[in-house]
Amino acid sequence: MLRDRDRCDAMIATHDGVYYDYSRQRVTAETMDLLFDLAERQMLTDRIRGMFGGDRINFTEDRAVLHTALRAGREGIGTVFVDDGVDAIREVHDVLDRVRRFTDAFRSGEITGYTGKRMRNVVSVGIGGSYLGPEFLHEVLKTEAVGISTSLGYDLRFLANVDPVDVERTCADLDPEETLIIVVSKTFTTAETMLNARTMRQWLWDFMGDDADVVRRHVVACSSVSATERVRAFGIDTDEGMFRFWDWVGGRYSVCGAAGAVPISLMYGYDLFEKFLEGARSMDQHFLNAPPRKNIPIIMGLLGCWNSSFMGYSSRALIPYAQALLRLPAHIQQLDMESNGKRINRHGVEIDYPVGEVDFGEPGTNSQHSFFQMIHQGQTVPVDFLGFVRSQHDLLMDNEKLSSHDELMANFFAQPDALANGKTADEVRAEGCPEELVLHKVFDGNRPSSSLLFPELSAYVTGQILSLYEHRTAVQGFIWDLNSFDQWGVELGKKLALDVKEHLMEARNSEVGDHEIIADNPATSRIMNYYIKNSRDAVGVGGLSNPGTSATSVTRKTHKDHFPPQINDLGGHSGRLS
């Protein structure tokens, strides 16, 4: 099929500098006709318009789905209403205007820390969608032409994991007097985020004392209006230091809202974040208005359904040929698997066909030396290859015939053909291979992939990429008749963790040295008791510090005693956190 010029010419779609080639997918013209017929039967375009218009398509939570409103232009004010007449796009721009004003004051030095120092470090505390999207964008902008200059003198870090080692890694070389903490939690109740938020508050207090102004000057929040009292109780100034979320934007779709706007703008300036929004808006308009046969997100979504439900491929890979996109696969992993990893459709019936691929990926060429063995000769895994006409930073060494970016892109062009064409036994024999090794060196080919080529990895193009994959996810959910915008599957583990914490607190606070935990089943009881016994031996009975370990009950007291900080160990369960 790759040698059919007419077919190859037909399997290309373009928009605003984006070149999408799906000629290496296992589809014919008739396949595509049937997929577009399926889209029409599922009323795909009507559902897309309903999503943009604020219809309550999140049917299990009775909510609109309006992440597209987060990057809509001001001209859209007065066109989308939710929750009994609330102007969604006006609300968004009110928040973005506040982010711009706060960013300008922070970066100009008008806003200072508790001791009067200018703040230059930003730590964003969040998890899941409150972290993966902003981090992926941050990694891109680190080496983006404008981002390099606008970020000089600033440092942005993300604290997501409740593992105390993540706190250590985040804070090890930071001066608290120069650090702003952003707590990103829609409800301000997410267990991991709030423990890390309390940890960072303690970190500030240990250096500067527990004056209420320490928190007001050094901590802000991105949260929903319904969480205002919880934000205020934490000590944050809700008038100046709280940036709103809305229930009509899920966490994994929130990078264009306050969760991304606040940390990224503080680090790189609001203007660069706005370029990112403009790129996303460009792809949004293409998705909403382009006819299906020329619509890149629709085609990608239909091919996703084809590969998963019809061809039976249970996984797929995302390979960006750009090191700056190293965190994109992790973000898309959450975006797609949390959205479409479902078992019940919108009619309340169990789905009896394959849905929801396993997504994974790494930047090329690193991935070629990691899991491409399986992709070429093991299971069939559809692949998206992302490449760029120009590098953020190209190199041409003396006496080299090609630049480093050309070398990279040679792999981008070669790998899809290698997957599609493979290598026959006769071709292997013609190379003089011993007969006993021939079969080991055969590549069966016929393995599907798509290629996306962009001009250059800028803030604008990153917005396009984000929007493209968000909409691919939505298309597949619409075709599969499921809800891509809830995530009930994460709730059970959270509930069980609360039960386990009760057992741990009883054991930690017991005056009996050998307190026995009796959990839901013998296996869990046994492993928890093993954990308690051995961790008690490590830190001392009753939570007292063991001089033989590095754990301490209280570490830093004032910034004068430890400047810069030498250690950041708050003492685990024996520390001062409550």
Side-chain angles (χ1 to χ4, degrees):
M1 291 193 292
L2 266 180
R3 285 162 179 76
D4 182 338
R5 181 177 295 275
D6 291 339
R7 174 187 171 279
C8 290
D9 289 345
M11 292 187 176
I12 293 170
T14 61
H15 167 70
D16 192 14
V18 181
Y19 182 102
Y20 177 56
D21 179 356
Y22 58 101
S23 60
R24 293 173 187 80
Q25 292 287 340
R26 293 184 64 177
V27 292
T28 63
E30 181 185 9
T31 311
M32 296 309 299
D33 288 341
L34 292 168
L35 288 172
F36 288 119
D37 287 347
L38 174 61
E40 187 174 351
R41 190 186 77 188
Q42 293 295 83
M43 302 176 67
L44 177 62
T45 54
D46 288 344
R47 294 192 192 187
I48 292 170
R49 283 193 289 268
M51 182 177 76
F52 276 79
D55 291 356
R56 294 174 181 264
I57 63 172
N58 179 348
F59 50 82
T60 62
E61 297 176 299
D62 193 28
R63 293 175 180 170
V65 174
L66 280 171
H67 47 281
T68 53
L70 298 178
R71 56 258 190 162
R74 290 185 189 275
E75 66 278 4
I77 291 174
T79 63
V80 180
F81 295 91
V82 293
D83 302 332
D84 300 322
V86 174
D87 186 336
I89 297 176
R90 183 180 297 280
E91 288 265 306
V92 166
H93 280 278
D94 286 348
V95 172
L96 290 177
D97 288 344
R98 289 193 63 235
V99 173
R100 180 188 283 276
R101 290 193 297 271
F102 184 78
T103 296
D104 290 346
F106 177 89
R107 291 172 63 86
S108 69
E110 179 184 339
I111 294 176
T112 59
Y114 177 74
T115 61
K117 283 189 175 183
R118 183 168 178 169
M119 288 187 283
R120 60 184 184 84
N121 309 313
V122 178
V123 176
S124 184
V125 181
I127 199 166
S130 301
Y131 145 67
L132 287 168
E135 188 193 42
F136 122 74
L137 177 56
H138 170 49
E139 290 293 339
V140 170
L141 299 183
K142 276 182 181 179
T143 45
E144 202 261 3
V146 176
I148 289 173
S149 60
T150 58
S151 62
L152 287 174
Y154 297 96
D155 190 2
L156 171 61
R157 302 182 186 186
F158 293 89
L159 175 58
N161 200 325
V162 75
D163 185 340
V165 172
D166 203 9
V167 177
E168 170 69 23
R169 287 166 171 260
T170 300
C171 299
D173 57 346
L174 295 183
D175 180 355
E177 296 178 75
E178 299 178 342
T179 302
L180 181 76
I181 311 299
I182 308 168
V183 183
V184 186
S185 174
K186 182 185 288 187
T187 63
F188 231 64
T189 60
T190 305
E192 299 92 340
T193 296
M194 295 318 299
L195 175 55
N196 278 337
R198 294 192 298 273
T199 302
M200 296 308 296
R201 182 176 61 182
Q202 185 71 54
W203 181 69
L204 296 171
W205 283 343
D206 282 350
F207 274 90
M208 294 178 279
D210 58 3
D211 189 324
D213 268 351
V214 170
V215 179
R216 282 199 289 266
R217 300 289 288 272
H218 286 267
V219 187
V220 299
C222 299
S223 194
S224 69
V225 174
S226 61
T228 300
E229 287 308 313
R230 287 188 286 273
V231 173
R232 184 179 292 117
F234 190 86
I236 294 170
D237 180 353
T238 54
D239 293 327
E240 299 296 328
M242 180 175 167
F243 303 90
R244 295 198 305 278
F245 274 19
W246 300 274
D247 287 339
W248 31 267
V249 178
R252 60 192 176 278
Y253 294 95
S254 67
V255 62
C256 293
V262 177
I264 296 299
S265 297
L266 292 174
M267 179 68 182
Y268 297 100
Y270 182 83
D271 289 344
L272 194 58
F273 182 75
E274 193 169 49
K275 290 291 185 186
F276 167 70
L277 297 182
E278 290 171 1
R281 187 185 312 150
S282 167
M283 190 58 71
D284 288 348
Q285 290 303 306
H286 171 68
F287 180 51
L288 180 62
N289 297 315
R293 290 176 182 272
K294 296 182 179 180
N295 193 306
I296 301 174
I298 287 180
I299 296 169
M300 289 178 66
L302 291 175
L303 289 170
C305 292
W306 169 252
N307 283 326
S308 176
S309 298
F310 294 89
M311 301 301 291
Y313 304 140
S314 60
S315 60
R316 63 182 167 193
L318 174 61
I319 313 297
Y321 279 76
Q323 185 62 24
L325 284 174
L326 77 163
R327 295 299 286 161
L328 174 64
H331 176 58
I332 301 307
Q333 193 174 55
Q334 190 213 8
L335 169 69
D336 203 80
M337 294 169 71
E338 192 166 87
S339 294
N340 290 340
K342 305 293 171 60
R343 57 183 289 273
I344 303 295
N345 68 16
R346 65 181 176 134
H347 307 292
V349 176
E350 188 164 356
I351 298 169
D352 61 354
Y353 44 87
V355 301
E357 306 92 332
V358 175
D359 288 275
F360 67 98
E362 281 287 326
T365 56
N366 296 1
S367 54
Q368 294 172 203
H369 295 267
S370 174
F371 49 78
F372 268 43
Q373 167 63 49
M374 185 189 78
I375 288 179
H376 279 289
Q377 290 187 311
Q379 298 179 30
T380 299
V381 178
V383 182
D384 277 359
F385 293 98
L386 276 63
F388 299 87
V389 174
R390 296 179 299 277
S391 172
Q392 285 184 331
H393 301 276
D394 203 359
L395 295 171
L396 181 59
M397 305 299 290
D398 292 345
N399 302 317
E400 295 285 345
K401 303 294 185 183
L402 292 175
S403 72
S404 297
H405 187 63
D406 285 338
E407 184 80 25
L408 178 73
M409 291 301 290
N411 287 275
F412 168 83
F413 294 120
Q415 290 294 332
D417 279 347
L419 288 170
N421 295 323
K423 193 172 186 179
T424 67
D426 287 342
E427 289 172 327
V428 174
R429 290 189 184 97
E431 295 175 347
C433 178
E435 188 62 33
E436 65 271 17
L437 294 180
V438 167
L439 292 181
H440 293 279
K441 296 189 175 185
V442 167
F443 295 74
D444 57 5
N446 210 26
R447 293 170 179 245
S449 69
S450 294
S451 297
L452 279 156
L453 191 59
F454 301 87
E456 183 177 327
L457 186 55
S458 62
Y460 184 91
V461 167
T462 306
Q464 291 180 309
I465 293 170
L466 175 81
S467 174
L468 182 63
Y469 279 93
E470 287 180 345
H471 296 324
R472 180 191 72 172
T473 296
V475 168
Q476 293 188 221
F478 290 145
I479 296 298
W480 283 330
D481 254 344
L482 51 80
N483 186 358
S484 300
F485 308 105
D486 63 8
Q487 55 278 336
W488 300 108
V490 304
E491 298 301 320
L492 178 59
K494 290 182 181 179
K495 169 63 173 64
L496 293 180
L498 291 175
D499 296 341
V500 168
K501 284 164 66 174
E502 291 292 331
H503 286 302
L504 293 177
M505 283 190 286
E506 288 178 10
R508 292 297 186 203
N509 294 306
S510 173
E511 296 181 1
V512 180
D514 58 350
H515 173 84
E516 183 179 3
I517 293 175
I518 301 176
D520 183 60
N521 60 74
T524 302
S525 300
R526 186 180 303 109
I527 195 169
M528 287 180 64
N529 283 305
Y530 179 89
Y531 167 74
I532 288 291
K533 178 182 182 301
N534 286 279
S535 60
R536 182 183 289 117
D537 290 345
V539 300
V541 176
L544 299 176
S545 300
N546 183 341
T549 74
S550 61
T552 54
S553 295
V554 178
T555 54
R556 307 161 306 277
K557 293 184 178 180
T558 70
H559 65 285
K560 298 185 181 71
D561 292 338
H562 300 276
F563 185 83
Q566 300 300 308
I567 61 172
N568 292 278
D569 185 350
L570 292 175
H573 59 76
S574 62
R576 294 198 296 161
L577 303 182
S578 61

